[in-house]
Every structure is written in structure tokens, then in C-alpha cells.
Amino acid sequence: MEAPRNRKQRRAAAAASANDSFDPSSIPMAHPPRNTTKNSKEKTLVELISERENELLGLSQDKNSTTPGTGTRFVSIDPKSGEISNLDASDLASEQTGTKGSIAGSPSDGNSGSEEDEDAAIPPFIDTVLLSVPLTTLHMTLAYLAAHQYAEYIVLDKLIRESVFVAFPILTFAIHLAHGHVVSFGNALSSEHVSLIPFHREKLSIAFLRKLLFPPSLRTTVFLPLAIYLGAKLMVMTNDEPYYAVMKRAPSIGTLWVWSILEIPVGAAVLGALGPLIWGVWWKGYGIF
């Protein structure tokens, strides 16, 4: 027999040789063995399901009732053997209580400690300095603006010394005292936390808005009249008194006015800021510009 001359003939010859070497009888065609004897240890899936249903129905029967399957029964399944057994409801409740107690008291729950640390109060010194430093900067800015407007030349070193060595200690002591770090005022300075979130229709009442804008506290009672007085005093001073008095007293009064507004809630702060302005423009006839 001649050898194939081209590729097509070679492929056809290879396919023919492969088909000739395949033996169909090598594939087993027998059915899987079926053991249908009653004494066999192997059980079918249907038999296992039927036995498990009988066990559950037997456990769910109420001993005090003639009707099977009534009432609520608790069962437990052994993870190793798969056996089903009755479980008392009192035992289940005690297990759940013990589990919750162990979870609450476990050292792995470290988030509660971190949340308490985050919600902890700011140290007194930090609480005071966080407000006294910006107010000192405001005092130095107002002193520079007043000197820039009225003085012939600005002595910047003198302004810095007055702000750092006079205004800063006085503001620090006053804020420290007002925040209850020197003398404890108890809960007199604190007010109830009121928020619009989450919002519902009851928060549209006048009583809630009054509590939101003007919460009753000693802080509001003290600082709101002080803010109104200092604002009116600043308006009169900048419009009626001579320039030397403005340069000397306006920075201090302006700084105390801003501090009083910062210490009170939003509604009282608006009244303490706009009240003196409206009084000076409408009643005294001062110009804004």
C-alpha cells in the first residue's frame, strides 16, 4: 500500500486507523448493583427521610393533649450522631441568657471601651485653651484694625504684648471659671440636648422651638443679657466716643461680646448679635457703613 502523498490523505489515514483501533466493547454497560434485601444495613434516602419524620412527629406530640402535633416543642440535634432529642424551653432561655452575658462580658468586645473613650469629656485645660486662643487672636486683630484706623503709626510689638500677656490670661481665667472648671456649678450650666433629627410633626410646636432656640439654663440667663449689653456698648462707643477710647476699649469689649455669643445657643446668639444692631440703627439712628 502506498503512503499518502498529501496532508488530506494523511489525515484521512490517521482517522481511519483511530477508528479501527477503538473497541466499543471496552465500555461497561452493566447496571449499578441494587441491594433490595430487607436485612441490608444500607438505607435509601427515602427511608432516612421517613424515619426522621417519624422521630419529629413523635417528639412534637404533647403528652398532656390527646391531639398529636399540638403545642410548640423544642428539639436539639446532635452534630456528631444526628440524633434528635427534646429540649426544655427553660433550658433554652437559660442558655441564651448565659450566651448574651458571656458576649457582653467578653474582652473581645473592645469597641465599647473605645466608644466610651471617644465620648469622654475634653480635659478642662484643653477645653479652655481651645476657646481662649482664638479669642486672643480676635483681640489682637481688633486692636490692629482700630490702630490702623485712628493711630498715626502702628506699634505692632505693643499690640502683641497686650494681647499675649494681658488679654490671654484674663480670657483663659474667665473661660475656665465660666465652664465650671474652677468652681463646679453642677448641672446649672448644662442644658438639655435638643435636635431636629429625627424630624416629626411634634417638633413643629412652639414649645419645642422655644426649647431648641432658648434652652433654659444658667448659661443662657447670664450670657444673653451680657451679649446684648456689650453689643450696645460697642455700638455707642464706636459712634460717640473719641478715637483714643475706641482704640483702648473697643478690642476688649468686642472680644467679650463675641465670647458671650459663642457661649449661648443659636436662638439666643442671633438675638445677642442682631439685637444691638437693630437697636443702634432704628433707635439711635447710627449708620451701618
Side-chain angles (χ1 to χ4, degrees):
M1 182 177 180
E2 296 181 0
R5 297 180 179 180
N6 54 24
R7 183 180 299 176
K8 184 177 181 181
Q9 291 177 355
R10 288 198 299 271
R11 288 181 178 178
S17 62
N19 292 332
D20 293 340
S21 62
F22 175 71
D23 186 9
S25 62
S26 63
I27 301 177
M29 301 298 292
H31 291 282
R34 295 182 180 179
N35 193 352
T36 59
T37 60
K38 296 183 179 180
N39 297 327
S40 175
K41 295 182 180 180
E42 298 180 357
K43 297 180 181 180
T44 62
L45 182 60
V46 177
E47 293 175 350
L48 293 174
I49 294 175
S50 179
E51 291 180 359
R52 190 55 59 89
E53 286 181 352
N54 292 331
E55 292 179 3
L56 291 174
L57 290 175
L59 292 173
S60 63
Q61 291 180 356
D62 192 0
K63 295 180 180 180
N64 298 326
S65 178
T66 58
T67 305
T70 59
T72 302
R73 307 291 295 180
F74 297 95
V75 297
S76 63
I77 301 176
D78 190 358
K80 295 182 179 179
S81 61
E83 295 180 357
I84 301 176
S85 60
N86 279 323
L87 182 64
D88 193 359
S90 60
D91 298 337
L92 180 62
S94 62
E95 289 179 1
Q96 290 180 351
T97 305
T99 304
K100 291 179 181 179
S102 61
I103 292 175
S106 61
S108 60
D109 190 6
N111 294 331
S112 59
S114 62
E115 291 178 357
E116 291 178 359
D117 294 338
E118 291 178 359
D119 295 338
I122 302 175
F125 179 74
I126 302 298
D127 178 55
T128 303
V129 171
L130 286 177
L131 189 57
S132 63
V133 171
L135 290 177
T136 302
T137 306
L138 175 64
H139 178 274
M140 185 168 57
T141 304
L142 294 178
Y144 179 82
L145 293 177
H148 185 271
Q149 182 175 0
Y150 295 107
E152 296 181 358
Y153 57 92
I154 301 174
V155 184
L156 188 60
D157 296 340
K158 182 180 179 181
L159 299 180
I160 295 176
R161 285 196 302 269
E162 289 179 354
S163 298
V164 173
F165 296 106
V166 178
F168 177 72
I170 294 175
L171 286 172
T172 302
F173 177 76
I175 296 170
H176 208 65
L177 178 63
H179 286 191
H181 301 318
V182 177
V183 179
S184 178
F185 297 99
N187 296 327
L189 292 178
S190 61
S191 59
E192 181 183 358
H193 179 70
V194 183
S195 176
L196 287 173
I197 301 172
F199 179 79
H200 50 83
R201 296 182 61 88
E202 295 180 357
K203 293 186 177 181
L204 295 177
S205 62
I206 298 177
F208 177 81
L209 294 178
R210 182 187 60 80
K211 188 182 294 185
L212 176 65
L213 298 178
F214 301 95
S217 65
L218 181 61
R219 187 185 301 271
T220 305
T221 305
V222 171
F223 283 99
L224 178 58
L226 183 62
I228 296 175
Y229 170 76
L230 292 175
K233 181 68 175 178
L234 186 64
M235 291 282 294
V236 174
M237 180 182 300
T238 54
N239 285 275
D240 295 342
E241 295 190 9
Y243 70 92
Y244 188 77
V246 174
M247 285 194 302
K248 289 296 182 181
R249 301 177 60 186
S252 302
I253 295 178
T255 303
L256 293 176
W257 178 49
V258 173
W259 173 47
S260 302
I261 292 175
L262 293 177
E263 292 289 348
I264 53 181
V266 58
V270 172
L271 182 60
L274 296 181
L277 179 63
I278 295 173
W279 172 80
V281 174
W282 286 2
W283 182 262
K284 301 291 290 185
Y286 298 139
I288 299 177
F289 300 103

